[in-house]
Amino acid sequence: MSATFSYDALVAFSRSVFTAIGCPEEDAVLATEVLLSADLRGIDSHGIARLSGYVRLWDAQRVKAAPDVRILHETPSTATVDGDSGLGLVVAPKAMQIAIDKAKQCGSGWVSVQHSNHFGIAGYHALMALEHDMIGIAMTNASPLVAPTFSIERLLGTNPIAVAVPAGAEPPFVADLATTTAANGKLEILQRKNGVAPLGWIQDKEGRPVTDPHSLKAGGALLPLGGDREHGSHKGYALGAVVDILSAVLSGANYGPWVPPFPAYVPMPTGMPGKGIGHFFGAMRVDAFRPADEFKQHMDQWIRRFRSAKTAEGYDKVLIPGDPEREMEAVRRADGIPLLGPVVDDLRFLSEKFSIPMPPAADRSQI
Amino acid sequence: MSATFSYDALVAFSRSVFTAIGCPEEDAVLATEVLLSADLRGIDSHGIARLSGYVRLWDAQRVKAAPDVRILHETPSTATVDGDSGLGLVVAPKAMQIAIDKAKQCGSGWVSVQHSNHFGIAGYHALMALEHDMIGIAMTNASPLVAPTFSIERLLGTNPIAVAVPAGAEPPFVADLATTTAANGKLEILQRKNGVAPLGWIQDKEGRPVTDPHSLKAGGALLPLGGDREHGSHKGYALGAVVDILSAVLSGANYGPWVPPFPAYVPMPTGMPGKGIGHFFGAMRVDAFRPADEFKQHMDQWIRRFRSAKTAEGYDKVLIPGDPEREMEAVRRADGIPLLGPVVDDLRFLSEKFSIPMPPAADRSQI
């Protein structure tokens, strides 16, 4: 049965689970913060709903709880990091921190990561840059669900790109987008509802545009941003490809159809050309280009101009990337995080598996 | 009347024009190479068709023929460049060269440019990185034609992103994409033909999706990649916004609705917050991450896997970004560059204005 939980209750539970699989205390804290940032920001598909999935990867010995994350190769502004098969939730913020440290030293830092796993939401890692007055960039490849333009094979993941930009008085600009028309999480919602997907989201196994959300599991594919060639799907495909190349060809991870699957029951691809999945991070000090105060004043002006743009009939206002997620976070910190029945069942499975008490469900009055 | 010209004939003509407005010899050579790379690669809207437009900007004293392009601020891996109101065709490759030089020194180089003008195709500048075994990135903002999701105001340009990646035996991967559903050049073609634009390319002045390509000039707007909210236009908007911010807020150029127009007869916006238009360039040494040979072998594998993907019925093969432009370049170097009547008229105008002989039209047998 679905229920609502306070953020703190889910934090305590998630930390206990990560500790139970052998994560060092600080890694359990970090992985929990990254994981739950998705729930707070309303990206439910990437949050605690995946906790049992991570545990199953650990059960299948595809994830190490205490990895030796290390730099394989570096220059003053770049590094390649070996995630040692750790949780992406831990490997990614460590790699982003390396990018930030390099940016402090020489203006910018760029880190490509091999041998990692799913890293939660890209936005979390990009956001890490903001407190340092840096622009943060994060991307990752992911298991193949997306067919390139003209193809019927799934060769790319939803390969997201996140860019976080500090502002002054205004809240930051935070873009976090899958390079597909629709994120897989949105399709999963339609699958549960037996709903109808807009044309342009998916194709069937013959490559025909279809609206049945179950077509994806019947050999179909998600479509690159644009949907079809006439609407620019070759651009979404190119962007997803760039993410794949920077994350995996540059680092020595697996790319394209060889990216390992998230569900532990799915067999690994054969002939894998690299290690694990790949990420790519960037950090640029704003004052490596112009004084930070000046930059932030202009970002404020940028944000205000766009936010106050005239709208088409039926729309209240033009959104700044990051607005919806920030508003959701305020609501969920106050009112709690609602979880669907199957997610609650997953938490119960983990509770029993590790003898950890279930997080107490809360109604609004209790939070 | 339309006619076909050899590449060399157009090179000679273009150099003479740039020299006639006072460009130093080497800048005239460079500007010509950048400009004509668009014609060679089939992006006719950005090539010699714009030569008279650049001259008109010079006439209006909006472009300097002999600018003092200089670094305003730098760190080991970053720089801000002042284009001194020069031709973007000259400023941009000089700025990209700075990015490449920085990458040689410390792994990567990132350059934001203010006070520039239209820089031709983004792809040219990204491609400069390849001969150094670097990944090249180029982007620029542009005068506002694009409405953010939910808006009826034009606040962004078509703001392209180009990424060039070296391969080994295979030709390089070169993505070069406007962050709109359709580039403005494609719409111009439909306007000339009185054709019908697919839904998702443009909206009218009320923000309604329309198919009449003339709606753009009647107060409408181009749409961000995705077309509408349901198909991910907020992603195209976010990408266009990132380009605007990195190119202009970071450098001190104009952004959003304040980007100066390309046509010299259009008045400058009021209250401009910066100087000229902005670009952003990046170069990353491949061997700052892993040995270059290893990287290139894997890029070859990536390219071959995608190129040989199974296709949907009716399609021959899956394209690798850069394929169509490279194939076009081979054809046009051999067979010449076809120019439409109005473009030939523009060349005649320039020929008379500067007393430069018209380039000889060629039929295939003469090239």
Side-chain angles (χ1 to χ4, degrees), chain B residues 186-242:
Chain B
K186 287 198 181 176
L187 203 71
E188 286 170 351
I189 292 169
L190 289 178
Q191 286 163 351
R192 278 196 294 272
K193 290 181 185 168
N194 285 312
V196 173
L199 273 178
W201 285 27
I202 45 173
Q203 65 184 21
D204 69 9
K205 69 185 159 101
E206 311 293 343
R208 288 174 298 227
V210 290
T211 59
D212 175 1
H214 299 288
S215 303
L216 182 62
K217 290 187 176 166
L222 286 169
L223 293 171
L225 178 59
D228 60 28
R229 177 65 179 75
E230 188 172 74
H231 294 88
S233 69
H234 56 299
K235 302 182 184 195
Y237 156 40
L239 290 167
V242 167

Side-chain angles (χ1 to χ4, degrees), chain A residues 77-78 80 106 108 110 150 153 180 199 231 235 237 244 249 255 288-290 298 302 305 310 312 319, chain B residues 77-78 80 106 108 110 150 153 180 199 201 231 235 237 244 249 255 288-290 298 302 305 310 312 319:
Chain A
S77 76
T78 69
T80 304
C106 73
S108 76
W110 305 87
F150 303 154
E153 284 192 86
T180 46
L199 273 179
H231 293 88
K235 303 182 183 195
Y237 156 40
D244 198 32
V249 183
Y255 43 81
F289 295 91
R290 72 188 296 189
H298 282 283
W302 192 100
R305 181 64 185 86
K310 291 193 199 101
L319 299 174
Chain B
S77 75
T78 70
T80 304
C106 72
S108 76
W110 305 86
F150 303 154
E153 284 191 87
T180 47
L199 273 178
W201 285 27
H231 294 88
K235 302 182 184 195
Y237 156 40
D244 198 32
V249 184
Y255 43 81
F289 294 92
R290 73 189 295 189
H298 283 284
W302 192 100
R305 180 64 186 85
K310 290 192 198 102
L319 299 174

Side-chain angles (χ1 to χ4, degrees), chain B residues 97-166:
Chain B
Q97 190 58 51
I98 293 168
I100 289 169
D101 292 342
K102 287 188 175 281
K104 284 181 192 162
Q105 293 300 315
C106 72
S108 76
W110 305 86
V111 176
S112 192
V113 181
Q114 61 158 243
H115 215 178
S116 186
N117 284 285
H118 195 278
F119 75 6
I121 53 169
Y124 178 91
H125 313 295
L127 281 161
M128 286 175 64
L130 295 182
E131 67 181 293
H132 306 284
D133 281 356
M134 294 180 187
I135 293 171
I137 297 167
M139 48 187 91
T140 186
N141 70 2
S143 47
L145 289 174
V146 182
T149 305
F150 303 154
S151 178
I152 57 173
E153 284 191 87
R154 299 171 176 187
L155 295 182
L156 290 169
T158 53
N159 295 8
I161 301 171
V163 181
V165 182

Side-chain angles (χ1 to χ4, degrees), chain A residues 108-134:
Chain A
S108 76
W110 305 87
V111 176
S112 192
V113 181
Q114 60 158 245
H115 215 177
S116 186
N117 284 284
H118 195 278
F119 76 5
I121 54 169
Y124 178 91
H125 313 295
L127 281 161
M128 287 174 63
L130 295 182
E131 66 181 295
H132 306 283
D133 281 356
M134 294 181 187

Side-chain angles (χ1 to χ4, degrees), chain A residues 53-63 263-266 268:
Chain A
Y54 288 107
V55 169
R56 288 190 173 92
L57 285 169
W58 169 78
D59 266 336
Q61 297 186 304
R62 292 190 189 175
V63 158
Y265 62 83
V266 177
M268 296 290 255

